[in-house]
Amino acid sequence: MHAKWDWKRWWTGSVVGLLLGSGCLLLTAAEKEQSQLSSAQQTAVQDVQQRAEDLKAVNQSIWNYAEVGLQETKSSQLLIEKLEAEGFKVKSGVADMPTAFVASYGSGHPIIGILAEYDALPGLSQKTVPYRESLSEEGAGHACGHSGLGTAALGAALAVKEAIDKHQLKGTVRLYGTPAEETGLGKVYMLLDDQFRDLDICLHWHPANITNVHLGSSKALVSVKFTFTGLPSHASVSPESGVSALDAVELMNTGVNFMREHVKEDARMHYVIIDGGGQPNVVPAKATVWYYVRANAHEDLERYYHWVVDIAKGAALMTRTKLSIQVDTDNHELIPNTPLSELIHEKLTVIGPPEFSGEEKAFARRIQQPLIEKFGQTFPVAIDSRVHTLVESRTSSKGSTDVGDISWHIPTGGLRTTCFAAGNPGHSWQNVACIGSSIGEKGILYAAEALAATTVALMENPVLVKEAKADFDQRMKSRKYITLIPKGQKPPVKIR
């Protein structure tokens, strides 16, 4: 159970303290910390606790749906139904994405947004067991924990609604249903569609194997597909009549691999050939390679992207093929916000992390065993349940997120809570198992409580909002938002 506010425990302890302490109110250290939550924040936290079983059921449903990006029909609909049942006004299918939505409750400013994600990853189906066993051979799985991510965002929004009603708070809470985060799509196209235009603050979270507030940045990323078109022919009888699109792809990849020596160390280029022809005796008339290009700063990414495009054009010239380029999305690096990070960290600390049982720790130890056997890793703990110290990072994380684009327009802050075994690799079957287990459930509820308390605090204290905006303005002074997505382009209908 969480070490959180318990009115009965507090009242009993207070009475005993008054009787035994000659009129002095005796509180434990934990109870003193809890007193830092206002009445409205306590209401929000308690609402999450009261909804715990329903939120666990939502997580289990989305976990079982395991829908990949832009196909999260059941997952998004479930969240929408829960929100509408509580009186939220919901706009669905926003930004030309059927599984994107915006749900609002309350009135006036500040308008606080909470981000929800719910897409799974292909090929990572897994049962809730501490060893590798798929639910289905070709199925997807929540290897990034997004079943829990969407669930906690829902829980936080509903809890804030309860606080608004009970304490007559001024302000609006918005839950943003953002599809296809794994390919960096949803939030970017919702941003370009002005869905975040009047937002004052944006909050987000992510399941992790630690609990902390990441006061740092991420990598910028562009997702782009290069398609070459040539002429088919019999590869043995008449090869001179064919123009190989696959040759162009291979020459392009070779060029990019030589490019790697001359970019900054933070740069990343990864690719997969998603169409390389049908069979060996037919000269491939069409071939497509899908690239992710990354860098710590978007200005570097822009330069690398244009360099890769030049290499693709060179490959087309060498093979006499025709080239077409499709930019699916462009993610900017995350802009941190110190006041928001400090506020979120305070709420994580005050509420306190959940405790994990012996059975849960044993489950985590079994999860870790393959990593010990195959890679020689060591794990001091089964589950890291601490709230880690808030420290501003001088280096960017190696991952990318479409949250970054929102942070270029709106003061944005986020948290992570322990939902996985310590040391779990990202996008792994281990994460699928954990987020569907009681380990994940405890982290989900903790995240919902912290998000809800933070949102209510921002509504109660306009100074906090002003401080976050001032920090944002300072960090954005020398930055200009430029997107590599062609103007007016609609989001793709499907990713693969």
Side-chain angles (χ1 to χ4, degrees):
M1 295 297 291
H2 290 40
K4 58 173 83 73
W5 187 268
D6 184 329
W7 279 105
K8 290 182 179 178
R9 184 183 68 187
W10 180 88
W11 176 250
T12 302
S14 298
V15 172
V16 171
L18 285 168
L19 292 173
L20 300 180
S22 301
C24 296
L25 184 64
L26 300 181
L27 295 174
T28 67
E31 288 167 338
K32 286 178 182 178
E33 281 191 337
Q34 295 298 329
S35 66
Q36 296 173 34
L37 294 178
S38 70
S39 296
Q41 293 167 40
Q42 292 164 19
T43 293
V45 170
Q46 290 165 358
D47 187 76
V48 172
Q49 296 167 7
Q50 291 164 6
R51 297 179 188 272
E53 294 308 312
D54 187 43
L55 293 173
K56 290 177 186 178
V58 170
N59 176 58
Q60 287 298 322
S61 293
I62 299 176
W63 187 90
N64 280 294
Y65 297 152
E67 299 167 301
V68 297
L70 299 180
Q71 298 176 37
E72 317 98 320
T73 306
K74 294 178 181 178
S75 303
S76 61
Q77 188 57 41
L78 175 61
L79 295 175
I80 289 171
E81 288 172 0
K82 294 290 183 181
L83 290 158
E84 288 182 331
E86 294 284 346
F88 279 72
K89 294 180 180 178
V90 181
K91 296 186 297 180
S92 58
V94 300
D96 296 294
M97 290 180 289
T99 56
F101 67 87
V102 180
S104 300
Y105 190 88
S107 61
H109 288 266
I111 304 175
I112 312 298
I114 301 174
L115 303 179
E117 300 166 10
Y118 30 81
D119 58 323
L121 284 160
L124 281 163
S125 173
Q126 168 65 29
K127 294 181 180 180
T128 312
V129 292
Y131 48 86
R132 184 68 170 114
E133 185 173 348
S134 299
L135 277 166
S136 63
E137 289 301 319
E138 302 297 325
H142 278 284
C144 209
H146 289 183
S147 62
L149 198 163
T151 299
L154 169 69
L158 297 181
V160 173
K161 179 257 185 188
E162 179 67 17
I164 289 174
D165 288 348
K166 185 173 180 179
H167 299 274
Q168 291 80 52
L169 299 179
K170 180 183 178 182
T172 304
V173 60
R174 276 201 197 138
L175 184 65
Y176 286 86
T178 65
E181 188 280 335
E182 294 295 355
T183 44
L185 284 164
K187 300 174 191 66
V188 177
Y189 285 95
M190 292 173 76
L191 179 73
L192 296 176
D193 193 49
D194 283 339
Q195 295 297 327
F196 299 93
R197 177 175 45 82
D198 59 346
L199 205 58
D200 290 297
I201 300 290
C202 186
L203 300 176
H204 64 102
W205 88 284
H206 206 289
N209 47 34
I210 63 170
T211 295
N212 74 338
V213 175
H214 176 62
L215 183 52
S217 190
S218 60
K219 286 188 182 294
L221 171 149
V222 62
S223 172
V224 54
K225 297 184 178 83
F226 298 90
T227 298
F228 297 87
T229 305
L231 293 171
S233 70
H234 195 297
S236 181
V237 176
S238 54
E240 72 281 0
S241 300
V243 176
S244 175
L246 181 58
D247 286 354
V249 166
E250 292 187 309
L251 284 167
M252 177 187 172
N253 292 344
T254 299
V256 171
N257 287 331
F258 277 105
M259 170 187 167
R260 295 179 193 276
E261 186 180 357
H262 305 287
V263 295
K264 294 179 181 179
E265 291 185 5
D266 64 85
R268 300 283 189 274
M269 286 84 74
H270 350 277
Y271 60 82
V272 289
I273 299 172
I274 57 176
D275 181 5
Q279 62 187 59
N281 66 336
V282 179
V283 173
K286 182 181 176 184
T288 301
V289 60
W290 182 7
Y291 267 80
Y292 278 6
V293 183
R294 306 187 202 230
N296 284 357
H298 196 269
E299 59 184 356
D300 288 335
L301 176 66
E302 294 166 35
R303 183 166 61 89
Y304 299 150
Y305 167 73
H306 292 300
W307 189 349
V308 171
V309 167
D310 284 343
I311 291 171
K313 290 178 179 177
L317 287 172
M318 285 188 284
T319 54
R320 296 186 175 182
T321 54
K322 293 183 179 179
L323 170 65
S324 63
I325 301 171
Q326 171 68 39
V327 175
D328 283 340
T329 193
D330 175 16
N331 294 168
H332 289 61
E333 67 270 28
L334 193 65
I335 306 299
N337 190 285
T338 299
L340 283 179
S341 295
E342 291 174 346
L343 177 63
I344 297 167
H345 179 76
E346 174 195 311
K347 300 310 170 189
L348 282 172
T349 304
V350 167
I351 294 167
E355 296 178 1
F356 294 95
S357 68
E359 290 80 4
E360 288 163 339
K361 290 176 182 177
F363 185 95
R365 282 301 189 195
R366 288 196 63 189
I367 285 278
Q368 293 169 338
Q369 196 58 40
L371 302 171
I372 295 170
E373 294 172 355
K374 293 182 180 179
F375 303 105
Q377 292 182 242
T378 57
F379 301 97
V381 295
I383 303 173
D384 186 346
S385 58
R386 299 170 294 160
V387 178
H388 285 246
T389 303
L390 177 63
V391 179
E392 181 154 10
S393 175
R394 295 181 179 274
T395 59
S396 297
S397 70
K398 295 180 181 179
S400 306
T401 174
D402 54 5
V403 177
D405 290 76
I406 298 173
S407 74
W408 277 63
H409 294 80
I410 309 294
T412 301
L415 62 95
R416 298 187 288 190
T417 66
T418 297
C419 295
F420 309 138
N424 269 17
H427 294 182
S428 63
W429 67 262
Q430 287 96 334
N431 284 355
V432 184
C434 285
I435 200 66
S437 75
S438 60
I439 297 171
E441 289 173 347
K442 288 182 176 180
I444 291 165
L445 296 175
Y446 183 28
E449 292 168 358
L451 287 170
T454 301
T455 303
V456 172
L458 290 163
M459 289 182 173
E460 291 180 301
N461 191 347
V463 173
L464 296 174
V465 177
K466 289 181 180 178
E467 289 174 348
K469 289 186 175 182
D471 186 271
F472 171 80
D473 290 341
Q474 181 64 34
R475 292 179 186 270
M476 295 304 296
K477 273 185 177 179
S478 60
R479 290 183 167 99
K480 181 181 179 181
Y481 186 81
I482 297 171
T483 182
L484 297 170
I485 298 173
K487 188 175 181 180
Q489 177 176 291
K490 302 295 184 183
V493 176
K494 62 180 181 179
I495 298 166
R496 295 166 185 84

